Each structure stands twice: as structure tokens, then as C-alpha cells.
């Protein structure tokens, strides 16, 4: 233990590996009161659930202790960041503890809702529990499934917070195993309606595509606009700084949720028997079919909208402008206040537009090629998983570099 305390990087790596092992084991513990074979058949039909499972690091093919993964936490965090980005005064007055309690409450509520929805999908797989030779009502199994799923979701958040404090990669590292395991499935089955066999030639093509995509994404993630800042209250070199605006203002977030959102409307139509034969149903099928021109356009629009949404939540230009005014910082030739806000929003929209278009091009090229060659469209889902992987690994690498560089500094020689 003394060795680990004296070698912070080694200690953090060990903690991350331990937390990942616990998370992987938790996803292998099947919930009691469920027939696994029937559950697998029921959930496998829900394509959007499988894609969501990869996105949030959950196991939504067979119900396990940690099936929900980081889903409730991530959606809750997005909701809270969206509220914070609007810069309400009552939000700014909250303490750190109060903010933490609110986020945990939102996560708990979302976990209950998602667990209940998953339990409804699993109804055909539920079996009555037997206690002291007495068969319990099926409602007990239903309630038990919901409680276990909610407990697992909150335990996943606990593991993520522990990794943030003691490990590497923050809470998002818990997504890593699911993404890695899901890569072959994403390439082979993709949208579930086009099988791309994993033959040697196909794997070689996938390897080349992977390398090219990784290089492009790493380059795009490094591009940023640096807006010069003036700090008149600070003397010396610290009086001049810059405000960075990334080209990919939302990182890989648009890729993470685009496939799921693309499929949800069609899933809702399928769940409503009244809408099956309606004109609206035909319209939804057309714009959610990746093998049609309208479907490809719709997918690109979804990525652009998610880029603006997640980018605004990440950058928070309204709050940023207010903080600059409070800190005595200003942009040269731009008045503080409303003018600064408009200036920041303008550059945010420019960077988000160009960054979003880059993601759209990467995503739709396989879809366009897939119109002629069956199965190539699966690369869009595959590239989305690679984008998530690159973002997580890059964050871990930056943290490792920072910790490694820490030992190069000395106060006294």
C-alpha cells in the first residue's frame, strides 16, 4: 500500500482495473425471477435498447444486476446541465452539496422509470418466486426486478464516482468494456436488418477503416478556436489568455445517442397497433430506414441537432459570458455583457456547425455506400462506437500525461 501511495499513477490504474472488474462481474449476475432464454428473445427484438446499452455501458440483452449501466446518470446529468446552461439565478445560488443531492434525486427518478419500462418488456420472461414452498404472486417478481435494477443503477453511479476520485477516466470509463465488447456486434449486425459477415477480407477493410477514422477523430478533437482574452486586473503575462472553442464542441456525444434516437420513433409506432396501417406510420418508417435517402437525411439532421444541443450544454455560452464579466475578463473590441454573449453564441454556432457537418459526413458516407452494397451501412454504427472509444481513451491519456508530468516538477533543485 505504501508503494501505491507513493506512485499515484500506478494506484489510479489499479483502482480503475478493480472497478472495471466489479462492473463486468455485475453485468454477469442475472436477476432472479426471470427466464434468461425468454428474456433474451424479448429484448433482442428491441434494437434501440441494444444500441442504448452500448452507449450507457449497460447490458440490455439479458437483465442483470447492472443492466441499466450509466443510463439514468447520463440522462440526468444532461438534464441538469441543460438547466444550468440557461443560467437561472436559483441554480447559481445552490451549494455544491445541494447540487449533488438534486442530481442524485434526478438519477434515482430516472432509474425507477427506466427499470419499470425494462420490466414491462420482460413481462413474458417473469416467473413466480417460491418461498418456503409457497409460490409468491407475479407482482412480487415485478417489484423485485425494478428494485434490483434501480439498486444496480445507483451502485454503478457509486462505482463511477469512486473511479473519478481514485482512478482514471472519470465515470465514463465504465462504458469502455461495453463498447469494446460490442464492436464486433456493431459491425456484423449494425441496424439488425443487414448482416455483414466477419470474413477475413471484411475484417481487413474494417481494420483500415478503423485506423482512418481514429486518425480523423483525433485530429478533429485537437482543432480549436482560441479567442484572446484580456485581464486588466492581472499584471504580467497572466493578463493575456485565451478562450478555447473546440471544433467538436460536443465531442462524441452526438454519435453516442444518434442511433438510438433514430430508431425510437419506429419502435413507438410498432408498439401502437392503431398506427400500423396509417399514413403517419409509413412516413415514420421512411425517415427511420437507413436504406432510404430520406432516412439518411434524417440521420444527418439528428446528428446536427444533437451537436447543437450537447454543444450548448457543454460550452454554456450564457453562463460563460456572465462569469467573464464577474471575473473582470473581456474580449478585445467587444463590450462586456450582451455584446459578449452574442459574440460567444455566434462563434459557438460557427464551430458547432462545422464540427457537426464533419460528424455528419463521417456518419452518412457508409449509409450512402450501403444503398448499393448491402451491409456497409453497419459501419455507421461501428464508427459511432469507435468515436465513443476514442473520446474515452483520449480523456484517460490526457489524465495519465498530467499525472506523469507531475513528477517532472520540483520546487527546489
Amino acid at each position: 500500500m505504501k508503494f501505491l501511495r507513493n506512485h499515484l499513477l500506478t494506484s489510479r490504474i489499479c483502482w480503475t482495473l478493480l472497478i472495471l472488474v466489479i462492473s463486468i462481474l455485475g453485468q454477469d449476475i442475472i436477476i432472479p425471477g426471470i427466464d434468461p432464454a425468454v428474456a433474451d428473445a424479448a429484448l433482442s427484438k428491441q434494437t434501440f435498447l441494444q444500441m442504448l446499452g452500448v452507449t450507457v455501458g449497460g447490458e440490455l440483452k439479458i437483465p442483470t444486476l447492472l443492466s441499466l449501466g450509466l443510463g439514468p446518470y447520463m440522462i440526468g446529468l444532461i438534464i441538469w446541465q441543460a438547466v444550468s446552461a440557461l443560467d437561472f439565478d436559483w441554480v447559481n445560488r445552490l451549494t455544491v452539496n445541494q447540487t449533488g443531492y438534486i442530481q442524485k434525486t434526478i438519477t434515482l427518478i430516472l432509474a425507477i422509470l427506466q427499470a419499470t419500462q425494462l420490466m414491462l418488456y420482460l413481462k413474458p420472461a417473469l416467473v413466480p418466486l417460491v418461498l418456503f414452498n409457497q409460490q409468491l404472486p407475479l407482482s412480487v417478481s415485478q417489484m423485485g426486478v425494478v428494485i434490483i435494477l434501480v439498486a444496480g443503477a445507483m451502485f454503478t453511479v457509486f462505482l463511477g464516482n469512486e473511479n473519478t476520485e481514485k482512478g482514471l477516466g472519470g465515470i465514463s470509463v465504465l462504458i469502455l468494456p461495453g463498447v469494446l465488447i460490442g464492436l464486433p456486434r456493431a459491425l456484423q449486425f449494425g441496424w439488425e436488418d443487414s448482416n455483414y459477415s466477419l470474413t477475413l477480407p471484411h475484417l481487413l477493410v474494417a481494420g483500415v477503416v478503423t485506423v482512418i477514422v481514429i486518425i480523423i477523430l483525433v485530429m478533429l478533437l485537437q482543432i480549436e478556436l482560441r479567442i484572446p482574452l484580456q485581464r486588466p486586473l492581472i499584471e504580467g503575462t497572466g493578463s493575456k489568455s485565451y478562450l478555447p472553442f473546440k471544433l467538436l464542441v460536443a465531442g462524441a456525444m452526438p454519435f453516442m445517442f444518434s442511433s438510438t434516437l433514430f430508431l425510437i420513433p419506429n419502435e413507438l409506432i410498432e408498439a401502437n397497433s392503431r398506427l400500423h396501417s396509417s399514413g403517419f406510420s409509413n412516413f415514420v418508417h421512411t425517415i427511420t430506414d437507413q436504406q432510404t435517402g430520406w432516412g439518411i437525411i434524417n440521420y444527418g439532421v439528428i446528428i446536427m441537432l444533437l451537436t447543437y444541443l450537447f454543444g450548448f450544454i457543454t460550452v454554456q455560452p450564457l453562463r460563460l459570458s456572465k462569469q467573464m464579466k464577474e471575473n473582470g475578463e473581456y474580449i478585445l473590441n467587444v463590450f462586456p455583457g450582451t455584446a459578449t454573449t452574442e459574440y460567444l453564441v455566434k462563434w459557438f454556432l460557427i464551430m458547432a456547425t462545422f464540427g457537426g457537418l464533419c460528424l455528419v459526413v463521417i456518419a452518412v458516407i457508409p449509409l450512402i455506400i450501403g444503398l448499393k452494397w448491402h451491409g456497409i451501412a453497419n459501419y455507421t454504427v461501428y464508427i459511432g462506437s469507435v468515436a465513443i472509444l476514442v473520446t474515452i481513451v483520449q480523456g484517460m491519456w490526457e489524465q495519465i500525461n498530467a499525472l506523469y508530468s507531475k513528477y517532472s516538477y520540483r520546487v527546489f533543485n
Side-chain angles (χ1 to χ4, degrees):
M1 294 301 293
K2 183 178 180 181
F3 173 82
L4 293 178
R5 285 195 298 269
N6 294 333
H7 297 78
L8 183 58
L9 180 56
T10 305
S11 172
R12 286 184 172 272
I13 291 174
C14 291
W15 270 107
T16 298
L17 291 176
L18 175 62
I19 289 171
L20 286 176
V21 169
I22 295 173
S23 176
I24 293 171
L25 290 176
Q27 291 186 0
D28 286 334
I29 302 175
I30 299 177
I31 296 175
I34 289 178
D35 185 327
V38 179
D40 180 44
L43 294 179
S44 295
K45 299 176 183 178
Q46 309 296 331
T47 306
F48 80 99
L49 277 183
Q50 311 310 316
M51 293 186 175
L52 180 63
V54 173
T55 301
V56 301
E59 173 54 73
L60 296 177
K61 188 176 181 183
I62 297 177
T64 63
L65 176 62
L66 303 184
S67 269
L68 294 184
L70 290 173
Y73 171 82
M74 292 178 67
I75 297 174
L77 182 62
I78 292 170
I79 293 174
W80 180 249
Q81 287 182 335
V83 173
S84 301
L86 297 176
D87 198 31
F88 293 120
D89 288 335
W90 66 270
V91 174
N92 297 330
R93 289 195 297 267
L94 294 174
T95 64
V96 175
N97 287 337
Q98 289 173 329
T99 301
Y101 287 134
I102 291 175
Q103 290 180 347
K104 289 174 183 176
T105 302
I106 294 174
T107 300
L108 178 61
I109 294 172
L110 290 172
I112 294 173
L113 293 175
Q114 291 185 20
T116 303
Q117 182 62 45
L118 189 59
M119 183 272 296
L120 294 176
Y121 283 124
L122 293 170
K123 263 190 173 182
L126 294 176
V127 295
L129 296 174
V130 178
L131 183 64
F132 301 119
N133 296 325
Q134 294 292 325
Q135 182 173 299
L136 300 177
L138 196 60
S139 58
V140 175
S141 297
Q142 295 175 350
M143 185 173 295
V145 168
V146 172
I147 292 174
I148 292 173
L149 287 173
V150 171
M154 302 309 292
F155 181 67
T156 302
V157 174
F158 167 76
L159 290 177
N161 289 334
E162 286 295 299
N163 188 66
T164 301
E165 182 180 346
K166 302 175 182 179
L168 295 171
I171 196 168
S172 61
V173 79
L174 294 179
I175 302 173
L176 198 57
V179 175
L180 287 171
I181 295 172
L183 281 176
R185 178 179 175 81
L187 181 60
Q188 185 175 7
F189 300 108
W191 305 91
E192 297 291 339
D193 57 2
S194 52
N195 194 329
Y196 185 77
S197 57
L198 301 183
T199 60
L200 181 59
H202 285 173
L203 289 175
L204 290 175
V205 172
V208 173
V209 171
T210 302
V211 172
I212 294 174
V213 168
I214 290 175
I215 293 173
I216 293 174
L217 287 174
V218 170
M219 292 175 60
L220 291 176
L221 288 169
Q222 301 302 319
I223 298 174
E224 64 181 18
L225 169 70
R226 296 182 175 181
I227 301 175
L229 293 181
Q230 302 295 320
R231 296 175 175 176
L233 299 181
I234 300 178
E235 297 182 357
T237 57
S239 62
K240 294 183 179 180
S241 182
Y242 64 86
L243 183 66
F245 269 31
K246 294 282 189 181
L247 178 65
L248 300 185
V249 290
M253 293 289 281
F255 261 137
M256 292 176 71
F257 292 95
S258 58
S259 297
T260 303
L261 289 179
F262 182 73
L263 294 175
I264 282 180
N266 192 40
E267 297 292 339
L268 294 176
I269 292 293
E270 291 294 329
N272 192 325
S273 58
R274 297 181 180 178
L275 296 177
H276 273 299
S277 57
S278 65
F280 179 71
S281 173
N282 295 331
F283 170 75
V284 171
H285 282 305
T286 301
I287 65 172
T288 57
D289 184 355
Q290 79 283 358
Q291 296 180 340
T292 66
W294 285 112
I296 294 174
I297 293 173
N298 180 43
Y299 190 76
V301 170
I302 289 175
I303 290 181
M304 288 300 300
L305 292 177
L306 289 178
T307 299
Y308 290 124
L309 173 63
F310 289 129
F312 185 82
I313 292 173
T314 303
V315 177
Q316 299 189 12
L318 302 182
R319 171 174 283 195
L320 188 59
S321 173
K322 184 176 180 180
Q323 289 176 345
M324 288 174 57
K325 186 176 181 180
E326 293 173 349
N327 296 333
E329 301 172 337
Y330 69 92
I331 302 170
L332 196 63
N333 298 324
V334 180
F335 287 106
T338 303
T340 297
T341 301
E342 293 175 352
Y343 185 86
L344 294 178
V345 170
K346 180 190 75 173
W347 279 110
F348 159 74
L349 291 175
I350 291 174
M351 298 301 286
T353 300
F354 280 103
L357 289 175
C358 290
L359 294 181
V360 169
V361 170
I362 295 173
V364 303
I365 285 178
L367 295 179
I368 295 173
I369 298 175
L371 294 175
K372 183 172 180 61
W373 286 285
H374 190 70
I376 300 298
N378 290 359
Y379 274 97
T380 293
V381 181
Y382 176 76
I383 291 173
S385 297
V386 172
I388 298 171
L389 188 62
V390 169
T391 305
I392 296 173
V393 172
Q394 187 191 44
M396 293 180 64
W397 182 250
E398 291 175 353
Q399 193 174 355
I400 290 172
N401 276 337
L403 291 171
Y404 185 77
S405 301
K406 178 180 179 181
Y407 297 107
S408 301
Y409 293 94
R410 295 289 185 271
V411 178
F412 300 103
N413 293 323

